[in-house]
Amino acid sequence: MNSSWRQSRKFAFIATFILVIIGLVAYKVYPYINKPATCFDNKQNGDERGSDCGGSCKLVCITDVIPLDVKYAKAVATDAGLYDLAALVENRNKDKDTHDGNIDYTFFVYDKSGSVIKTIPGSVTIPLGQTFPIIVQNVPITLSAGNDISNVVLKIENNKPWQAQDSAYANSFLKVTNIDFKRNFNNISQLKVSVKNLTKAYFRNIPVNVLLFDSNHNLIATNSTILKDIQSSGSEDVVFTWRSPLSLTDPKIEVYPVITPYTYIK
C-alpha cells in the first residue's frame, strides 16, 4: 500500500512539474504567435479600418478623408505686372486633419493660349469643417502684348497622412462685426473690422483673410494679415489697406478669421 501511495505521489509531482513547464513555455511563446493588435505593426487588425489606420488608431485611413473642394481660383491685378492669386476651399473634415495641420498646394496660371505661364507652390494651415481662402499676394507675371490670364487652377496636393482630431475645433469661435470700408482714405483704400471672441478660450497668430467683390461677384481685391492674439471673450480691430484706391465704393466683403488647433491656446 505504501508503494502504491509513493507511486501516486511521484506521478502527481511529475504531472505538476510538466504542467509548470508547459505553462512557462506557453507564457513565453504566446506573444509571438498571437501578437495583440497595434497601430504600428503594418497590418490591419483589431478595430482598424486599414493597415495601422482608423478605429482606435490616431492615423486616419485616406479612404475616410473627404477631399478638399476648391470652389474657385482667380487672379486679381494689383499693379503693373503684379497679381494676387486667391482660391476658396471647403474642408468638410470636421474631426481630422493632416499630421502637421497643413496642406500643400500649387496655383497654375494659364494664358489665352492655354499654356501655363506661372506655377506657385505653397502650404497653408487648414481649419476643420470650414470654408477658407488661400491667398498669395503680389505675384509677378509677365504677359506678352495682347496676351492675358485666362484661367487659374488650384491643385491640392494629397501627400500627407491624416490623423484624428477633436471635432470641437470645427466650431465657430470668432465673429466679424463693424465692417468699415473707406475707398479713398488719405489716397489709399482701407478696411477696418472688429473680431469678437465668442468663447472663453485664448487664441494667437490668427490668419485673417478678406475678399472683396463687385455686384456681379467678380473678385476685385484680396488681403491678408495676422491677428497676434485675442483674449477670452475679447474683441480686436483688424485693419487692411491697399496702396491705391480700389475701383468700387461699396464692394461685397467676406472676412475669414482662420481658427485651427494650432491657434487655440488652452
Side-chain angles (χ1 to χ4, degrees), residues 60-86:
V60 175
C61 299
I62 194 63
T63 53
D64 293 330
V65 176
I66 304 171
L68 274 60
D69 182 20
V70 180
K71 300 298 184 182
Y72 60 76
K74 299 180 180 181
V76 180
T78 59
D79 207 338
L82 292 178
Y83 294 80
D84 286 356
L85 304 181

Side-chain angles (χ1 to χ4, degrees), residues 179-184 189-191 210-221 242 246-254:
I179 298 175
D180 181 23
F181 176 73
K182 293 182 173 64
R183 177 184 174 275
N184 195 334
S189 283
Q190 176 182 282
L191 171 65
V210 62
L211 304 174
L212 276 62
F213 302 87
D214 64 16
S215 57
N216 295 318
H217 207 72
N218 296 310
L219 185 64
I220 61 168
W242 290 265
L246 299 176
S247 57
L248 290 180
T249 57
D250 188 25
K252 178 184 177 183
I253 299 170
E254 297 178 1

Side-chain angles (χ1 to χ4, degrees), residues 82-156:
L82 292 178
Y83 294 80
D84 286 356
L85 304 181
L88 193 67
V89 181
E90 181 182 10
N91 179 17
R92 290 183 288 161
N93 298 283
K94 296 183 178 182
D95 59 355
K96 56 184 75 75
D97 66 1
T98 61
H99 72 97
D100 61 357
N102 296 335
I103 55 105
D104 296 330
Y105 64 83
T106 304
F107 276 103
F108 295 88
V109 182
Y110 295 82
D111 67 6
K112 292 197 299 185
S113 70
S115 299
V116 176
I117 55 175
K118 198 78 174 182
T119 58
I120 303 293
S123 181
V124 66
T125 303
I126 56 175
L128 275 62
Q130 299 176 41
T131 298
F132 64 100
I134 297 176
I135 298 173
V136 181
Q137 294 183 289
N138 297 319
V139 176
I141 299 178
T142 302
L143 294 165
S144 58
N147 202 358
D148 204 351
I149 294 174
S150 66
N151 193 25
V152 178
V153 173
L154 178 74
K155 179 185 177 183
I156 302 294

Side-chain angles (χ1 to χ4, degrees), residues 174-192:
L174 306 179
K175 181 179 180 180
V176 176
T177 62
N178 303 326
I179 298 175
D180 181 23
F181 176 73
K182 293 182 173 64
R183 177 184 174 275
N184 195 334
F185 180 76
N186 295 330
N187 208 34
I188 64 171
S189 283
Q190 176 182 282
L191 171 65
K192 180 188 290 187

